[in-house]
């Protein structure tokens, strides 16, 4: 009787060990598959991001025709100056004057992000903390004077309730 119990115990422990070995092998194989799939998806995402960066057609930084207009200037320094000149108008208590909307709430409209599209156009977004919008501007760079701006079109998005 003791021998049969010992034999059953050994057989049972061998079966448990076989089960754990097979299960662990399957888990390891599946984790390797998931890792391989994740690496492929990461590579695909990185390629897409690189393509989008390379295909940034609407940017002074990548538009050679627009850069030729400023052949005598350092384009990066020019972009910095234009952005600084535009955001300097945020200091006004009534908000940035190139946002053609009057103050709606407690805060004035201020320009947040700016993208210089070419040698003549800028698109920027603005907000008062609750309401958001975008503005299309013409700009005229002057070497010795502040940059001149002209609002072409402005749009405001409907306030969303959170």
């Amino acid at each position: 009787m003791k021998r049969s119990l010992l034999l059953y115990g050994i057989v049972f422990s061998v079966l448990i060990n076989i089960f754990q070995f097979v299960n662990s092998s399957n888990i390891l194989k599946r984790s390797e598959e998931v890792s391989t799939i994740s690496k492929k998806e990461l590579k695909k995402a990185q390629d897409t991001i690189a393509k989008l960066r390379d295909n940034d057609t609407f940017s002074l930084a990548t538009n050679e025709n627009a850069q030729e207009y400023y052949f005598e200037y350092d384009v990066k320094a020019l972009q910095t100056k234009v952005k600084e000149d535009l955001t300097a108008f945020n200091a006004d208590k009534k908000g940035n004057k190139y946002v053609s909307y009057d103050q709606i709430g407690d805060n004035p409209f201020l320009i947040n992000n700016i993208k210089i599209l070419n040698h003549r156009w800028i698109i920027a977004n603005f907000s008062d903390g609750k309401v958001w919008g975008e503005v299309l501007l013409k700009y005229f760079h002057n070497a010795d004077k502040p940059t001149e701006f002209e609002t072409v079109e402005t749009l405001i998005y409907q306030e969303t309730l959170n």
Side-chain angles (χ1 to χ4, degrees):
M1 179 85 166
K2 287 185 178 183
R3 278 195 146 173
S4 61
L5 274 175
L6 184 63
L7 183 61
Y8 286 130
I10 291 173
V11 170
F12 181 73
S13 66
V14 168
L15 288 175
I16 291 294
N17 285 334
I18 291 172
F19 172 77
Q20 285 187 335
F21 175 75
V22 170
N23 193 32
S24 297
S25 298
N26 288 339
I27 290 173
L28 183 61
K29 186 188 297 183
R30 180 64 185 144
S31 68
E32 288 174 357
E33 289 172 1
V34 168
S35 175
T36 304
I37 291 170
S38 297
K39 286 178 184 176
K40 287 179 184 177
E41 289 176 357
L42 178 63
K43 175 71 173 140
K44 185 177 177 183
Q46 288 172 335
D47 291 345
T48 302
I49 290 169
K51 239 185 243 182
L52 288 173
R53 282 189 186 145
D54 293 342
N55 197 19
D56 192 8
T57 307
F58 297 107
S59 174
L60 180 60
T62 59
N63 185 337
E64 291 180 17
N65 294 324
Q67 287 178 4
E68 286 179 17
Y69 187 82
Y70 292 120
F71 67 91
E72 59 196 39
Y73 297 103
D74 175 21
V75 174
K76 287 190 179 200
L78 178 111
Q79 285 181 307
T80 302
K81 181 185 182 312
V82 169
K83 287 179 180 182
E84 287 172 354
D85 288 348
L86 183 56
T87 55
F89 292 101
N90 285 347
D92 189 352
K93 290 180 183 177
K94 294 180 182 178
N96 196 305
K97 71 180 187 179
Y98 294 105
V99 176
S100 59
Y101 291 102
D102 292 330
Q103 184 174 333
I104 295 174
D106 298 333
N107 300 320
F109 286 115
L110 303 177
I111 290 182
N112 302 316
N113 297 321
I114 300 165
K115 180 163 183 162
I116 300 174
L117 302 175
N118 56 29
H119 63 288
R120 190 60 62 222
W121 302 98
I122 294 174
I123 190 166
N125 74 1
F126 60 88
S127 77
D128 66 356
K130 293 182 181 178
V131 180
W132 297 81
E134 294 172 350
V135 60
L136 181 64
L137 300 162
K138 265 186 179 180
Y139 75 99
F140 306 94
H141 173 69
N142 300 310
D144 302 331
K145 301 179 206 172
T147 307
E148 296 176 30
F149 300 98
E150 179 183 318
T151 302
V152 176
E153 189 69 40
T154 309
L155 67 90
I156 197 164
Y157 295 109
Q158 190 172 11
E159 185 176 355
T160 57
L161 301 174
N162 291 335

